[in-house]
Amino acid sequence: MVEEPEDLRSVHGVLEVKLTAHDARDDNGSIRYCYIDAAGHESPTLRASPGDLVILHLSNALTDLKGEHTAHAHTHASGNPCSSGIMSPVSTNLHFHGLTIPPVCHQDDVMKTSVQPGDAPFEYRFRIPENEPPGLYWYHPHIHGFSKDQLLGGASGALIVEGIERAKQATAGLPERVLIIRDQDLVNPNAPPDKSEPVVPKFLIDRDGDAANNGTGFGKPAKDLSLNYVPVPYPDYSPAVIEMKPGERQLWRVLNASAITYLNLAVLFNRVPQSLGLVAMDGVPMNHNDTQPNSVDPQTHIGLPPGARVEFIVDGPPEGVTGLLVTRTVDTGPGGENDPNRMLAKIVASADAQETTPKLQSSPEPLPAPSEAWLGAVPPVRVRHLYFSEKLTDPNDPTSAIEFYLTVDGQEPKMFDMNSEIPNIVAQQGTVEDWVIENRSRELHAFHIHQLHFLLLEYSGRQVSEGFLRDTVNVPYYDGRALAYPSVRLRMDFRDPNIVGTFVYHCHLLEHEDRGMMGSIRVDAAPAAERTTDAPCSANNAAMPCKNSSLRENISTYPARVH
């Protein structure tokens, strides 16, 4: 049975939480990671409202279970968690994925902040901006070189900014579910496929020993999946169970917390895809130019790259009908992993199903109109070009990549260097830019940037009209024959003063990020002459008041739908 993560809610405008990072070895030898709160709950859901203060005390209880404690440390490591930069199997920190909060220590810095076993509890302290879109965000460690291991082991949790019913009135009064899909190493790696599956003509593995994409939609997956920590292992995919009252309407908030696995979600009744009422992507309600408060975007399947989130309205099956939550196959390219068709959960209609809590407000006050112009209506000050590429040991084998790059056009392709103090890109707060991101490799990549959201303008050469923003998007793979590399065009929003500072962008397939597919960007404060009297703080002026109520406290496809 799928159980909800424990909810930890803000009280009187403050959410204060104690979390401890733990690891342990499973019976099959794999290493599991998780966060435990003060009451013993595993990876709780953090719930706060815009304007709330979040205080999170993070303790590190990780042990060197792999015997690989060779720290990737900065030469100036000082023992200060804010500046040590130690990146090792037992280091930890937190990234608040999607939140528009400052990229500084004690808030959302992942460049140098690193907490070691034996350190005193480390305090994160930040305020949810007043204008943060209400929706689903998440938290996870971001230790460069070891992110894949910790995410694959299960270290992740949901963070919800309350109030989606104020933006999408179709959700008002609905019970909600938080569903976190994680991947992990195969529990049964040597098992033959289920006899009900078609015979797969070929079986390939990549350099990591994962099953490579075979192009059939079947066969051994690269990784197993779990749903709220309920495993759904290959080859039988014995599904988790979700109980609903017959025909009950619910809001499902789904996070793909996988390290490398793409999802393509669908709900089936008697093998027939059901309409899912899409209301938000990556924490952002789909309400730009929405003149109908009860409108939804109906979809029969929703692609979700690693790191992305989706929120949709779903109706339970009629009495006597069992539904299925499934992920359909995703074509990750000749160099990608195998993400086949598989079940995730049975949806069982039962009049005795337990009431789902919490429920959203039934009569919410609508959100005020945004004070800033719609991102799509703001002309960019410049266009930048970036590209994904890989170094192969065998040019004829797209699965033989050993180095991964995310390069600004004109710069030399090289693996990301955490020791470098020189950013790959410098932008100015208050501006908007267009980024064209090509994929010159033979596998799918998922572009993600910290601290901000962007607008997808073009996908694989086609114009896209979307009434919402993202923080993660797929970039299609190169087929080796096309005259131009596939690309996406993104409108990047540097207007929010909270993002002044240095942060990263990367592929959210974490084995790619860990092996170099990342870059850094420094956002400089707007010149003083361009600031208004109520303009918020810059990275260098913690005393200046912030209009977004995010003062630096004393002591962050659908893809374009999978095609």
Side-chain angles (χ1 to χ4, degrees):
M1 190 70 66
V2 174
E3 297 182 358
E4 296 285 298
E6 188 72 17
D7 283 326
L8 301 182
R9 297 175 178 273
S10 60
V11 178
H12 303 306
V14 178
L15 173 61
E16 187 162 10
V17 176
K18 293 182 179 179
L19 289 181
T20 301
H22 286 273
D23 59 353
R25 193 178 296 277
D26 267 357
D27 292 340
N28 66 357
S30 56
I31 299 175
R32 309 296 297 151
Y33 296 81
C34 69
Y35 297 105
I36 303 295
D37 72 6
H41 303 123
E42 190 173 39
S43 300
T45 297
L46 310 182
R47 290 179 174 267
S49 296
D52 284 354
L53 176 65
V54 178
I55 306 170
L56 197 155
H57 308 278
L58 177 65
S59 297
N60 185 344
L62 299 179
T63 55
D64 191 14
L65 292 176
K66 284 188 174 182
E68 297 176 351
H69 196 170
T70 54
H72 293 194
H74 286 185
T75 56
H76 59 272
S78 64
N80 179 352
C82 281
S83 59
S84 75
I86 296 173
M87 304 289 157
S88 82
V90 294
S91 304
T92 195
N93 58 16
L94 284 174
H95 169 47
F96 301 97
H97 186 125
L99 289 185
T100 311
I101 57 177
V104 297
C105 190
H106 299 289
Q107 297 203 48
D108 193 32
D109 165 61
V110 300
M111 301 283 288
K112 296 181 179 179
T113 302
S114 180
V115 183
Q116 310 310 311
D119 283 353
F122 182 80
E123 182 180 276
Y124 285 90
R125 177 185 287 258
F126 58 88
R127 199 171 291 277
I128 305 292
E130 293 281 4
N131 60 352
E132 193 76 79
L136 178 60
Y137 301 81
W138 63 302
Y139 60 92
H140 63 84
H142 208 288
I143 296 295
H144 185 57
F146 302 93
S147 295
K148 173 193 169 184
D149 289 346
Q150 295 189 16
L151 262 290
L152 195 64
S156 56
L159 189 159
I160 291 175
V161 175
E162 303 280 25
I164 191 172
E165 67 275 25
R166 300 181 62 198
K168 297 296 293 184
Q169 292 185 29
T171 65
L174 293 183
E176 55 177 316
R177 288 183 184 270
V178 175
L179 300 174
I180 304 176
I181 299 170
R182 301 174 173 93
D183 59 4
Q184 63 186 66
D185 288 330
L186 295 177
V187 174
N188 306 305
N190 300 317
D194 190 281
K195 293 181 179 179
S196 65
E197 280 203 353
V199 175
V200 176
K202 58 182 178 178
F203 174 65
L204 299 173
I205 60 172
D206 62 19
R207 283 185 55 86
D208 293 313
D210 300 331
N213 182 28
N214 59 39
T216 68
F218 298 95
K220 182 186 296 187
K223 301 296 179 188
D224 277 335
L225 294 174
S226 67
L227 186 63
N228 289 4
Y229 289 124
V230 178
V232 186
Y234 166 85
D236 298 327
Y237 304 123
S238 300
V241 176
I242 296 173
E243 277 196 347
M244 300 176 68
K245 294 185 181 299
E248 181 183 23
R249 177 162 289 192
Q250 296 182 352
L251 173 67
W252 285 12
R253 317 181 94 151
V254 184
L255 158 62
N256 184 1
S258 299
I260 67 171
T261 303
Y262 291 90
L263 302 174
N264 188 2
L265 300 175
V267 171
L268 310 179
F269 295 171
N270 295 330
R271 299 185 177 273
V272 177
Q274 301 300 297
S275 180
L276 307 175
L278 194 58
V279 296
M281 287 292 303
D282 287 353
V284 181
M286 307 173 70
N287 60 350
H288 175 65
N289 285 338
D290 182 8
T291 59
Q292 302 295 324
N294 289 314
S295 68
V296 298
D297 182 3
Q299 299 292 325
T300 55
H301 64 102
I302 302 170
L304 216 57
R309 292 87 66 209
V310 64
E311 297 167 77
F312 56 85
I313 297 171
V314 62
D315 293 324
E319 191 167 3
V321 174
T322 296
L324 293 176
L325 172 64
V326 304
T327 178
R328 295 163 42 166
T329 185
V330 178
D331 181 3
T332 61
E337 284 81 17
N338 200 37
D339 292 337
N341 299 291
R342 44 185 152 167
M343 290 185 293
L344 294 172
K346 285 185 178 179
I347 307 170
V348 177
S350 170
D352 298 325
Q354 185 175 354
E355 289 283 347
T356 301
T357 56
K359 290 186 178 180
L360 300 170
Q361 296 181 71
S362 56
S363 300
E365 181 180 345
L367 284 178
S371 59
E372 285 189 316
W374 170 241
L375 181 58
V378 181
V381 298
R382 67 179 53 83
V383 178
R384 300 187 195 265
H385 292 79
L386 298 83
Y387 61 92
F388 290 110
S389 62
E390 301 175 359
K391 179 180 179 180
L392 306 178
T393 57
D394 179 355
N396 297 314
D397 179 5
T399 69
S400 66
I402 56 171
E403 294 183 3
F404 297 81
Y405 314 123
L406 177 48
T407 308
V408 178
D409 202 18
Q411 297 180 8
E412 178 188 356
K414 57 183 180 180
M415 297 171 66
F416 181 70
D417 180 6
M418 288 291 289
N419 292 299
S420 175
E421 300 293 338
I422 302 173
N424 299 100
I425 293 174
V426 177
Q428 183 176 294
Q429 183 267 316
T431 65
V432 166
E433 299 184 356
D434 278 8
W435 289 12
V436 178
I437 303 172
E438 291 182 345
N439 189 349
R440 301 182 184 180
S441 78
R442 301 293 302 277
E443 65 177 310
L444 196 60
H445 294 295
F447 175 82
H448 168 59
I449 187 168
H450 290 206
Q451 319 312 133
L452 61 94
H453 283 76
F454 50 77
L455 177 65
L456 176 64
L457 299 174
E458 296 178 8
Y459 185 83
S460 200
R462 299 188 298 275
Q463 286 192 340
V464 175
S465 178
E466 294 190 337
F468 61 96
L469 307 180
R470 305 170 180 265
D471 59 43
T472 308
V473 68
N474 281 345
V475 185
Y477 66 85
Y478 178 54
D479 64 7
R481 300 184 303 274
L483 298 179
Y485 292 113
S487 66
V488 297
R489 187 183 185 103
L490 311 175
R491 184 146 296 168
M492 312 298 290
D493 192 352
F494 300 110
R495 291 176 294 176
D496 196 309
N498 280 324
I499 68 173
V500 168
T502 301
F503 49 94
V504 295
Y505 53 87
H506 57 86
C507 177
H508 218 286
L509 270 76
L510 297 184
E511 66 185 15
H512 297 171
E513 174 208 312
D514 284 341
R515 290 195 278 172
M517 196 168 263
M518 185 156 73
S520 64
I521 176 170
R522 189 184 76 223
V523 177
D524 291 336
E530 297 181 15
R531 299 180 200 151
T532 61
T533 55
D534 66 344
C537 53
S538 74
N540 301 315
N541 188 355
M544 184 178 288
C546 302
K547 71 177 181 181
N548 288 334
S549 298
S550 187
L551 283 168
R552 293 167 191 270
E553 307 287 341
N554 293 324
I555 0 221
S556 275
T557 63
Y558 130 40
R561 300 177 181 125
V562 175
H563 298 285

